[in-house]
Structures are given as structure tokens and as C-alpha cells.
Amino acid sequence: MSIATRETLKLSAYEPLEGIAKQECPTCKRRRMFFCYDCRQPMAGVFCPQVELPCLVDIIKHPKEKNSKSTAIHCKITAPKSTTLYSLDDIPNYSAEANTVLVFPSDDAISVEDYVKQHGEIKRFVVLDSTWFQTSVMQRIPEIKGLPCVHLKNYRTAFWRPQHKLDEHHLATIEAIYYALVEYHNAKKEREYEGEFDDLLYWFMLMRGKYDTREEAYFKRKAEDEADALAEGSEAKKTRANS
């Protein structure tokens, strides 16, 4: 499975973001560039694509998951009508709610497609926003413990901060949400997927591009420094040979 990129996704244009400068968030008064990750809203006048989702998405954040590093915020600001973020203190009780599933590869998890075949349409995806090392604790939360689990197909992450000792098949939160929705769309077999949810990855791919640019600049400087050091060494060798 190839990694999703700007070229393979149907993303809104990035031109409206050119020249954007930091401004004060009207709610928390902190300075932010494109959106405030604490207040979970785009900054005034900043373009933000809006996505209509086929079901609800509830995201449960681990208390140690920093807002500034969380990709779950991207779902909230691009699909605000369908997305709710919860802390561990305000999780609703899902026990009496039908057709709500936890996106997690537990031992008893089934595919999204199989769930739809067996139970019909999904009303709500519940997603854990935490590191993979924290998920065992998150799974024991009483409010979600009894939820049926669905697993995703095998994808490669495009995340620029891979977790220690985990391979490239461990997805960032927004990637897991995106792929779950795409699989759900395809499982309903109403029509072919045509990129309807791709803009969920709009901010994720923007940040991926910025990381790639910085990385390219770093390796370019490193190569130039090594070339300069090699040239200086050669010149010093010639000087010693001629002395």
C-alpha cells in the first residue's frame, strides 16, 4: 500500500494560505497561524475546507496528548458538525448506543466491511487520540470497554514523527479517521469513492510538506558542509605537499 500524498489525494488548493501571518486567537488570545489547536477553530479569515461526513466521529484524547501535536484537531476543524472531542473526564456512556464502533485493532476486531455486512450502517466511529503505547490504558475506560471494535486494512503512514520502535503501518489519528471513513463509504457500496473525505488530510499534508521542505534543506546544507570540508582537506593536503 502506497503512502497518501498531495498528488494522490483530491485536496483543496493551498494558495489561499500564502502570506498568512500569525494572529491573536479571539478566544484564548494566543498567537496562532492557521488555526488554534487549543480552541479548535480556524483563525479569522483563514481558508479551511469543510467536509461532510457519512457518520459521527468521537475522539477521546489522552491527557498527555498535546494539542499542538495532535492531528485529531484536523478532523474537528474540517468537519465540525460531525466531530466531537472528549477528555477522559467527559466521555459519554456508549453502552446503550447501537451501531457505534471503536476503531482499534483488538483481538476480536472485525473489518469495517464485515461490520456493515453484519450490522448495517455505522452511526458513530470512536477513535482514541493517544500514542500507541497508551492505548492499553485507554481501552480499559469503562464508557468504551464494551464497544465492538473494527480494524482497518493495512496502510502506510505519512506521519513525520513516527513513534519509537513502531513500523510505518501505525497511523496518525487523522489518518485512521480518514481511512475508516473511506472503508465505510466503500463498504456501503453506494458508489465509487471520489475523494469526498480527502480534505480531512488537508492540514496534515500541509504540515507534511513543511517537514519535507525542512528536511530537504537540512540534507542540502549537510551535503554542502561535507563538500566544503572535503575541499578544505584537499587544499590543506596540497599545501603540506608543496611546503
Side-chain angles (χ1 to χ4, degrees):
M1 175 66 68
S2 60
I3 297 176
T5 65
R6 288 193 190 185
E7 291 70 31
T8 60
L9 297 168
K10 293 183 178 179
L11 299 173
S12 295
Y14 287 104
E15 282 77 7
L17 303 181
E18 293 178 0
I20 295 292
K22 283 188 177 182
Q23 58 179 305
E24 185 179 274
C25 173
T27 304
C28 68
K29 307 305 179 183
R30 296 183 178 90
R31 293 184 64 78
R32 302 287 187 245
M33 180 74 78
F34 303 116
F35 56 86
C36 182
Y37 43 76
D38 290 318
C39 301
R40 302 165 185 174
Q41 61 186 9
M43 299 303 290
V46 174
F47 169 76
C48 182
Q50 298 296 284
V51 182
E52 294 291 332
L53 303 185
C55 63
L56 300 175
V57 175
D58 285 8
I59 302 167
I60 301 174
K61 286 180 58 58
H62 190 280
K64 291 186 178 180
E65 189 69 11
K66 294 182 179 179
N67 289 336
S68 59
K69 294 184 177 181
S70 172
T71 63
I73 305 298
H74 303 171
C75 191
K76 178 60 179 176
I77 63 176
T78 55
K81 295 179 182 179
S82 304
T83 308
T84 307
L85 274 78
Y86 293 103
S87 68
L88 296 187
D89 298 324
D90 59 2
I91 304 172
N93 191 337
Y94 297 108
S95 60
E97 190 169 312
N99 298 89
T100 292
V101 299
L102 177 66
V103 181
F104 188 79
S106 62
D107 292 339
D108 59 350
I110 62 175
S111 69
V112 174
E113 182 178 12
D114 284 344
Y115 184 90
V116 172
K117 287 179 180 178
Q118 296 173 23
H119 304 284
E121 294 190 357
I122 293 173
K123 177 182 178 181
R124 187 188 313 269
F125 281 117
V126 178
V127 181
L128 305 179
D129 186 37
S130 67
T131 67
W132 280 94
F133 300 105
Q134 295 162 343
T135 53
S136 59
V137 174
M138 297 283 280
Q139 267 199 299
R140 293 197 292 269
I141 298 170
E143 291 84 355
I144 66 172
K145 195 172 182 180
L147 283 176
C149 292
V150 294
H151 64 74
L152 303 177
K153 296 178 181 178
N154 205 17
Y155 303 99
R156 294 169 61 198
T157 183
F159 198 34
W160 51 96
R161 285 195 301 266
Q163 294 183 37
H164 183 57
K165 293 185 178 180
L166 294 180
D167 64 29
E168 60 184 358
H169 299 291
H170 291 77
L171 304 176
T173 302
I174 191 61
E175 292 178 299
I177 295 170
Y178 167 74
Y179 287 121
L181 289 166
V182 172
E183 289 191 24
Y184 177 47
H185 175 96
N186 292 335
K188 293 195 295 181
K189 302 185 185 304
E190 295 176 350
R191 55 185 171 80
E192 291 295 320
Y193 178 71
E194 297 179 349
E196 291 87 346
F197 317 130
D198 284 11
D199 269 338
L200 287 177
L201 298 177
Y202 182 82
W203 298 108
F204 182 83
M205 288 300 167
L206 174 70
M207 295 177 181
R208 174 75 214 200
K210 290 180 178 296
Y211 171 82
D212 289 342
T213 299
R214 289 194 299 269
E215 187 178 55
E216 183 180 347
Y218 166 77
F219 284 115
K220 182 179 179 181
R221 289 195 305 270
K222 184 177 180 181
E224 290 173 349
D225 291 344
E226 290 174 349
D228 289 343
L230 184 61
E232 289 175 2
S234 297
E235 188 63 31
K237 189 174 181 180
K238 288 180 183 179
T239 302
R240 289 195 299 272
N242 295 329
S243 61

